[in-house]
Amino acid sequence: MSKFMSSKYSNLVPYTPGEQPKDMKYIKLNTNESPFAPSEKVLEATLEEAKKLQLYSDPDCTELVKAFTEVYGVAKDEVIFTNGSDEILNFAFMAYCDDETPAVFPKTTYGFYSVFAELNHVPYIEIELNDDWSINIEDYFNAGGTVFLANPNAPTGIALSLDEIRAVIENNPDNMVIIDEAYVDFGAESAVKLIGEYDNLMVTQTFSKSRSMAGARLGFGVANAALIQDINTIKYSTNPYNVNRMSMAAGVGVLRDEEYTRKNCQTIIENREYTVQELKKQGFEMTDSKANFIFVKHPEYSGSKLQAELKKKGILIRHWSKPELEEYNRITIGTREQMQALIDAVGELLAER
């Protein structure tokens, strides 16, 4: 840090993204990307839009919003698109948290929540998970702040039911509840259908996971019109052209090819269940994940050693050094061939031990 950096950021610890090594070709099971390339409709739309890059993108994302409303059945003033879902989450911290309104979220969850809180200088409350890594929803009743819940949660993959989400919303009538659904398409139930019932609910999602667009950086938020207006106020005060032309066109292409997305999601679900069963045969323990990853540990093989040894074999998985997580690893679900390579490699390591 230079001497010119403001002291207000002196204690800021940035988010650590997943490892992206370039020293060899790896099977990447560490960053929850889709193993499937975008559909032809996405590629065609993106290439066509590339011819117009000399022009600013549409700040209202008009065509993208239109395509979205046709698929999701919401009004055009009930959705906003952003540069990845991280951007709208940051906007929500800016709009709905302050010195009198802390952020409230699990201690073990998406690592960016605490970073956003620190970045925006708002107090935050971290709540421990249950011993089985599940969220106790009653811990979030009358929370006294803005509640942020990833559903399914990360890195555990455990999902809340829609009834549980309703309970959290209804028990926080005077505060916002943000449901972060980055992984919802892999087995959980979306709360988007609830936005017409509650004036304190915002749902965020991303095109990075189920929609094969991690590199395009496109996310969105859905809520009632007044809440979307709040976020637009933040957006237009920071970066009106936050979604570039090519990502916008790609997003339209994705929404015009929902069948492709659903097919890929189903394949990942099937590969997840296959991997779970095969790793259980090898002695692994894991949570009941409804995401495109699994959260696993082996009683006789440390999490850090497993991550390091698999990397030597050309397979990347995600490990954290935090004490509560150090025995676990998060493994992204890829193609059947990728998962079989993982299973075989793990079998070799256990046999060598």
Side-chain angles (χ1 to χ4, degrees), residues 46-76:
T46 305
L47 289 172
E48 186 62 29
E49 201 64 21
K51 301 173 183 177
K52 307 173 186 175
L53 287 181
Q54 78 277 17
L55 303 174
Y56 280 115
S57 58
D58 173 11
D60 296 324
C61 301
T62 305
E63 290 302 314
L64 183 55
V65 167
K66 181 176 183 293
F68 184 88
T69 60
E70 292 169 357
V71 173
Y72 282 84
V74 302
K76 65 180 182 179

Side-chain angles (χ1 to χ4, degrees), residues 10 28 32 43 88 93 95 117 146 152 184 186-187 216 246 254 268 282 328:
S10 59
K28 287 185 80 276
N32 298 340
L43 299 179
I88 192 166
F93 273 86
T146 299
V184 74
F186 302 103
M246 296 178 73
V254 167
I268 289 171
Q282 296 181 342
Y328 282 82

Side-chain angles (χ1 to χ4, degrees), residues 95-332:
Y96 303 120
C97 301
D98 53 34
D99 290 341
E100 288 74 41
T101 309
V104 182
F105 47 83
K107 181 179 180 181
T108 302
T109 191
Y110 184 32
F112 237 137
Y113 297 163
S114 58
V115 176
F116 287 144
E118 295 282 358
L119 181 66
N120 291 295
H121 304 289
V122 297
Y124 59 97
I125 300 167
E126 296 179 301
I127 298 176
E128 295 280 358
L129 297 179
N130 294 327
D131 291 341
D132 63 357
W133 297 105
S134 64
I135 290 172
N136 179 7
I137 61 167
E138 294 184 4
D139 289 341
Y140 298 86
F141 290 0
N142 303 307
T146 299
V147 176
F148 292 83
L149 292 175
N151 191 48
N153 195 21
T156 66
I158 298 174
L160 295 170
S161 69
L162 214 55
D163 285 342
E164 289 174 311
I165 291 172
R166 282 183 182 275
V168 174
I169 299 167
E170 291 172 0
N171 282 279
N172 286 282
D174 299 320
N175 284 110
M176 283 291 297
V177 175
I178 314 296
I179 304 297
D180 176 2
E181 295 186 341
Y183 304 102
V184 74
D185 292 326
F186 302 103
E189 190 173 6
S190 176
V192 167
K193 65 186 72 174
L194 303 183
I195 65 163
E197 299 180 37
Y198 301 103
D199 64 359
N200 62 330
L201 169 66
M202 178 171 291
V203 180
T204 68
Q205 286 190 29
T206 178
F207 277 58
S208 295
K209 318 301 181 183
S210 61
R211 299 174 179 89
S212 300
M213 282 179 51
R217 311 309 304 131
L218 185 63
F220 63 87
V222 184
N224 67 59
L227 297 179
I228 296 300
Q229 187 175 14
D230 294 343
I231 301 301
N232 265 317
T233 297
I234 302 294
K235 168 190 164 177
Y236 280 87
S237 300
T238 52
N239 183 11
Y241 304 106
N242 61 333
V243 180
N244 69 70
R245 279 186 168 274
M246 296 178 73
S247 293
M248 206 179 299
V252 174
V254 167
L255 293 167
R256 298 286 189 235
D257 203 354
E258 277 288 288
E259 182 180 352
Y260 181 79
T261 296
R262 298 307 152 201
K263 180 182 177 182
N264 288 343
C265 288
Q266 184 57 41
T267 299
I268 289 171
I269 291 170
E270 292 169 0
N271 291 348
R272 181 185 69 208
E273 298 314 304
Y274 172 75
T275 304
V276 164
Q277 295 308 315
E278 292 301 309
L279 290 182
K280 282 183 176 179
K281 292 176 185 177
Q282 296 181 342
F284 280 85
E285 302 169 9
M286 61 203 69
T287 56
D288 181 20
S289 175
K290 300 299 181 185
N292 69 333
F293 58 81
I294 52 177
F295 185 60
V296 307
K297 74 171 182 177
H298 196 282
E300 300 176 9
Y301 212 106
S302 76
S304 59
K305 184 177 180 182
L306 180 64
Q307 186 268 341
E309 293 301 317
L310 283 174
K311 184 176 180 180
K312 293 177 184 177
K313 290 180 175 290
I315 301 174
L316 299 178
I317 61 175
R318 189 73 187 266
H319 180 73
W320 291 269
S321 59
K322 292 181 179 180
E324 66 270 24
L325 298 175
E326 62 183 357
E327 292 306 313
Y328 282 82
N329 287 297
R330 190 195 67 195
I331 303 173
T332 302

